[in-house]
């Protein structure tokens, strides 16, 4: 498939519905042959607060249950432990998905996402040669609290498939990262129309 056929066949709707209303990731130059996607301070703070809350919400009632002098396990404390464990699992999911290794490495000719030893739906390991373009897509997300704009940076493969690299609300950050990545990989940037969801 030539580049014009790929451009025609590439979908122009958001790859991932929704998005974050704050900047979650930035592109960072690790060295001359590798760019990595790093979580922002805002995302790290959000996940740290969420994780701390879940540990406290689980740990304190669990400690009280274990050190209870009676043989009865109070329903309220068990409920707190169960809810805390749920939030702890969510925080582990956030840590695993948002803080896993993610980048573009010219030395090994790979775009990678995720841990090598653990394969998930989010895991990616492909040759840089299969990437032909970068796609930028905006969308307006509405919910009961109002609306905000979110922007996707996707990579386009030589079979017209797309992979999401990042998705957040900082348009200037997404554009800067797309320009850096375009220069690094020597590929064009394709802008798609904005969408409303």
């Amino acid at each position: 498939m030539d580049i014009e056929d790929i451009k025609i066949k590439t979908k122009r709707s958001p790859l991932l519905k929704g998005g974050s209303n704050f900047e979650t990731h930035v592109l960072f130059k690790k060295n001359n042959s590798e760019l990595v996607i790093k979580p922002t301070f805002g995302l790290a703070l959000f996940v740290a607060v969420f994780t701390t809350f879940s540990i406290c919400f689980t740990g304190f009632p669990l400690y009280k249950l274990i050190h209870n002098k009676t043989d009865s396990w109070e329903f309220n404390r068990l409920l707190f432990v169960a809810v805390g464990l749920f939030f702890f699992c969510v925080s582990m999911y956030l840590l695993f998905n948002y803080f896993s290794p993610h980048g573009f490495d010219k030395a090994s000719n790979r775009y990678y996402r995720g841990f090598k030893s653990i394969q998930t739906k989010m895991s990616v390991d492909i040759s840089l040669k299969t990437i032909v373009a970068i796609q930028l897509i905006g969308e307006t997300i509405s919910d009961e609290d109002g609306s905000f704009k979110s922007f996707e940076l996707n990579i386009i493969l030589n079979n017209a498939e797309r992979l999401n690299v990042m998705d957040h609300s900082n348009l200037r950050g997404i554009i800067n990262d797309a320009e850096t990545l375009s220069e690094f990989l020597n590929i064009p940037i394709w802008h798609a129309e904005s969408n409303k969801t």
Side-chain angles (χ1 to χ4, degrees):
M1 226 184 316
D2 71 7
I3 195 77
E4 287 306 315
D5 288 337
I6 294 169
K7 194 170 190 176
I8 291 167
K9 290 183 179 179
T10 300
K11 293 181 181 176
R12 290 173 175 81
S13 59
L15 183 59
L16 304 173
K17 294 289 183 189
S20 172
N21 62 356
F22 64 95
E23 187 174 28
T24 57
H25 292 86
V26 292
L27 198 62
F28 175 76
K29 184 177 181 179
K30 187 174 180 181
N31 55 50
N32 288 335
S33 65
E34 188 172 10
L35 295 177
V36 294
I37 287 83
K38 296 263 189 187
T40 61
F41 177 75
L43 178 64
L45 184 63
F46 171 77
V47 173
V49 168
F50 196 85
T51 303
T52 302
F53 168 78
S54 68
I55 290 170
C56 292
F57 209 74
T58 305
F60 184 69
L62 191 58
Y63 174 82
K64 287 291 203 180
L65 279 172
I66 291 170
H67 290 87
N68 191 355
K69 303 263 189 247
T70 67
D71 290 333
S72 66
W73 286 58
E74 296 176 29
F75 176 76
N76 288 347
R77 288 192 180 142
L78 284 174
L79 184 62
F80 272 97
V81 169
V83 170
L85 285 173
F86 170 77
F87 282 111
F88 182 74
C89 290
V90 171
S91 67
M92 291 300 103
Y93 171 82
L94 292 173
L95 283 169
F96 187 78
N97 280 308
Y98 290 117
F99 292 82
S100 61
H102 185 190
F104 300 83
D105 187 357
K106 282 185 176 176
S108 64
N109 191 34
R110 309 304 293 164
Y111 166 62
Y112 60 90
R113 183 180 203 150
F115 297 98
K116 289 180 182 176
S117 58
I118 304 169
Q119 294 298 310
T120 67
K121 289 191 301 184
M122 300 290 286
S123 297
V124 175
D125 188 3
I126 60 169
S127 169
L128 293 180
K129 292 177 184 177
T130 63
I131 303 170
V132 297
I134 296 163
Q135 181 186 58
L136 295 178
I137 298 179
E139 66 179 312
T140 301
I141 299 160
S142 299
D143 59 20
E144 62 276 355
D145 296 330
S147 63
F148 64 92
K149 295 194 181 300
S150 183
F151 307 95
E152 288 185 7
L153 188 158
N154 301 321
I155 51 176
I156 310 298
L157 307 182
N158 56 8
N159 61 1
E161 291 293 318
R162 303 178 295 164
L163 294 173
N164 180 259
V165 176
M166 59 178 79
D167 184 359
H168 59 68
S169 67
N170 183 346
L171 177 59
R172 175 56 32 212
I174 285 276
I175 290 171
N176 288 343
D177 290 343
E179 289 171 350
T180 301
L181 187 57
S182 172
E183 185 179 321
F184 181 76
L185 296 176
N186 194 28
I187 57 175
I189 299 172
W190 297 344
H191 296 271
E193 294 179 13
S194 292
N195 297 276
K196 289 187 177 183
T197 58

